[in-house]
Amino acid sequence: MGFIRGGLFVIVSVLFFISLLVMNSIMVVSFSLEYDNIKSELVPVVKETLQDNINITQAIEQDEYPKIQNFCRNIAPDFNYTFTVENYTFTVPCSVVANGSQAVIDYSIDSFVYESYYKEYDCSFWDCFDGKTLPLFVVSQHSKDYWQKQFYFSLFAALVLAGLMFLFIEKKTNLPLVAGSLVILSSLLFAKLESVLKWIINFFLTTPLNINDFFKFLALIFVQSTRVFMIMLIIGIVLLAAGIIMKFFTIGFKINEFFSKFGAKDKSVKTETAKETKPKKKS
């Protein structure tokens, strides 16, 4: 029975560790897809990708900028001019036109990124991969909501497995030590994950292979890997500390119990001795 229980504990512990890796990965993606976290990284990537696909700079400077100037010449500055380059739509206010074509380009891309991030996509996450337009949905609120739901599922699975570990482990006080060690171990993978992924993706992008634009956006969804590493590392340390404290309390209780039994035994011996040495009354 003990062998079966120990084997089940090992299996559940391995599944718990895998669930932690999955949960950490999803948490990284969810954190990274917050707009404030991703904007600074996303704008240069989108600009480069649009430049490669539709030559956005030339399209605005040579074709659209003269049209925008004519449109905004006799219109209030708070009016917007909307134009389309191939399959992509851009909006720029007339107040920006006076600052030159580069200002129009920068504003167009910034607003394009903002609108793409908060766009209502009428497809499920996996069905949005069409291979025809830029995969901007990968770094959108739509994508963040999807991964946040997956995070709750993975968290629930990890907690269930932790509960099973508690049932199968022989010494219950060892659970925080085991769980804490696994949490810390699962966090180490994410310490340098962003740097490693960027290096791998940049390597493939500089090869003569025909790499899809998707890979340019892939590194963006792991920009918060260091944050997840720190969170899980702290949780693991807290669990280890709790396990060590519980061990000390257990040892303390055992020492106290030992001395209590020793004291009771010594008292009992003294009582018996006193009874034997007590003089008997003469009849």
Side-chain angles (χ1 to χ4, degrees), residues 84-98:
T84 302
V85 180
E86 295 188 14
N87 295 324
Y88 306 103
T89 302
F90 304 90
T91 301
V92 58
C94 289
S95 58
V96 177
V97 178

Side-chain angles (χ1 to χ4, degrees), residues 22-173:
V22 174
M23 185 185 72
N24 291 352
S25 301
I26 294 174
M27 186 161 43
V28 169
V29 175
S30 181
F31 284 164
S32 299
L33 289 177
E34 293 176 6
Y35 185 72
D36 292 337
N37 292 335
I38 204 171
K39 180 183 176 183
S40 59
E41 300 277 349
L42 181 58
V43 170
V45 173
V46 170
K47 184 174 183 179
E48 179 186 353
T49 308
L50 289 174
Q51 188 66 25
D52 293 340
N53 283 267
I54 62 174
N55 199 350
I56 185 65
T57 302
Q58 181 179 341
I60 291 178
E61 287 181 344
Q62 295 185 5
D63 300 329
E64 297 300 332
Y65 187 63
K67 297 177 184 177
I68 298 172
Q69 286 180 308
N70 290 331
F71 175 81
C72 295
R73 184 166 293 141
N74 299 315
I75 294 182
D78 57 341
F79 272 73
N80 293 332
Y81 180 85
T82 301
F83 61 97
T84 302
V85 180
E86 295 188 14
N87 295 324
Y88 306 103
T89 302
F90 304 90
T91 301
V92 58
C94 289
S95 58
V96 177
V97 178
N99 297 327
S101 60
Q102 187 58 50
V104 172
I105 294 170
D106 293 338
Y107 188 93
S108 298
I109 294 174
D110 286 346
S111 63
F112 177 74
V113 168
Y114 180 85
E115 291 171 6
S116 298
Y117 181 86
Y118 290 105
K119 177 181 177 181
E120 293 287 339
Y121 291 89
D122 57 356
C123 55
S124 62
F125 179 78
W126 298 106
D127 292 336
C128 286
F129 289 93
D130 57 8
K132 297 178 182 178
T133 56
L134 295 181
L136 289 170
F137 72 92
V138 174
V139 285
S140 67
Q141 182 70 43
H142 177 73
S143 179
K144 175 177 168 47
D145 292 341
Y146 171 81
W147 289 114
Q148 199 157 14
K149 290 178 182 177
Q150 307 311 309
F151 168 74
Y152 291 129
F153 288 134
S154 63
L155 176 61
F156 177 75
L159 292 176
V160 169
L161 290 169
L164 291 175
M165 288 171 63
F166 179 78
L167 291 177
F168 292 136
I169 196 168
E170 185 175 353
K171 292 184 178 180
K172 306 304 182 186
T173 54

Side-chain angles (χ1 to χ4, degrees), residues 27 31 183 187 226-236:
M27 186 161 43
F31 284 164
V183 170
S187 71
T226 304
R227 177 182 173 187
V228 171
F229 161 69
M230 292 301 300
I231 291 173
M232 298 307 291
L233 181 64
I234 292 172
I235 292 174

